Amino acid sequence: MDSAKRDNKELMKPTAPKFLPENPTLEELWQYFYEMAYLFARSKNLVSSLGCYTDAFLIRGNAMHSSDKDWLDFFRRQFAIYLMGKKRISCSLCEGDMIHDFLKDEYESIRVALAESELPFHSENLAAWFASLELDFPWCVEEDESDCANG
């Protein structure tokens, strides 16, 4: 690996999380969860890593306190599926933002399709149905995932 790539990778690594101030801003909050997700992934604590990555990108997308519980359930499940489909649990900020926006668009399309459907869907059954969906995620299939970012 040449020095430019190595230096770039070093800059992309989150630092050790700092303690959160008493009343953290949204930016401090998502940064904390993002850094914790990275550390949990490195220590092979995948459940905690998935949860922290999910929370970080919900906060970045201003959706953490959404009143739409179906959206939150859909995002949590599908974002975890996306991360588990990769070779390793990791997610850059631009990648996570892209997947957040992709999932938001998919969710809105699904809600419109359900509203226009002639088949009756009851809202209490949506969580199990959302879990069964298979979305076409833009997973990287290269040996080294850093190659995907470069084209």
Side-chain angles (χ1 to χ4, degrees):
M1 180 184 327
D2 66 338
S3 63
K5 278 188 176 179
R6 186 173 46 253
D7 291 343
N8 191 25
K9 280 190 172 190
E10 290 300 317
L11 290 173
M12 300 276 300
K13 285 185 181 178
T15 59
K18 303 158 196 75
F19 289 106
L20 284 173
E22 193 169 322
N23 294 312
T25 65
L26 287 179
E27 184 171 349
E28 291 169 326
L29 202 54
W30 71 253
Q31 285 176 344
Y32 177 79
F33 280 108
Y34 184 74
E35 291 167 358
M36 290 300 295
Y38 173 80
L39 293 174
F40 281 132
R42 281 192 75 185
S43 68
K44 306 288 189 238
N45 185 340
L46 301 183
V47 172
S48 295
S49 180
L50 291 171
C52 286
Y53 272 126
T54 301
D55 289 343
F57 288 102
L58 277 172
I59 294 167
R60 280 178 63 84
N62 295 316
M64 189 65 169
H65 298 293
S66 174
S67 61
D68 187 350
K69 300 305 178 202
D70 288 333
W71 156 243
L72 293 174
D73 183 53
F74 176 81
F75 180 81
R76 287 183 185 285
R77 288 175 189 266
Q78 295 298 327
F79 197 76
I81 288 169
Y82 169 74
L83 290 173
M84 290 185 298
K86 297 174 65 175
K87 290 184 181 186
R88 63 181 180 272
I89 304 296
S90 67
C91 191
S92 69
L93 293 176
C94 61
E95 174 188 8
D97 290 342
M98 178 196 68
I99 296 300
H100 176 275
D101 294 346
F102 169 76
L103 290 174
K104 188 68 171 173
D105 290 343
E106 287 294 316
Y107 176 76
E108 290 171 358
S109 296
I110 290 167
R111 294 300 287 188
V112 168
L114 289 175
E116 294 174 353
S117 174
E118 293 179 13
L119 300 172
F121 280 91
H122 298 287
S123 61
E124 64 271 5
N125 299 330
L126 288 181
W129 188 73
F130 285 155
S132 70
L133 289 176
E134 291 185 28
L135 300 178
D136 189 18
F137 286 111
W139 280 305
C140 181
V141 294
E142 299 290 326
E143 280 296 315
D144 180 9
E145 288 186 4
S146 64
D147 291 343
C148 293
N150 299 328

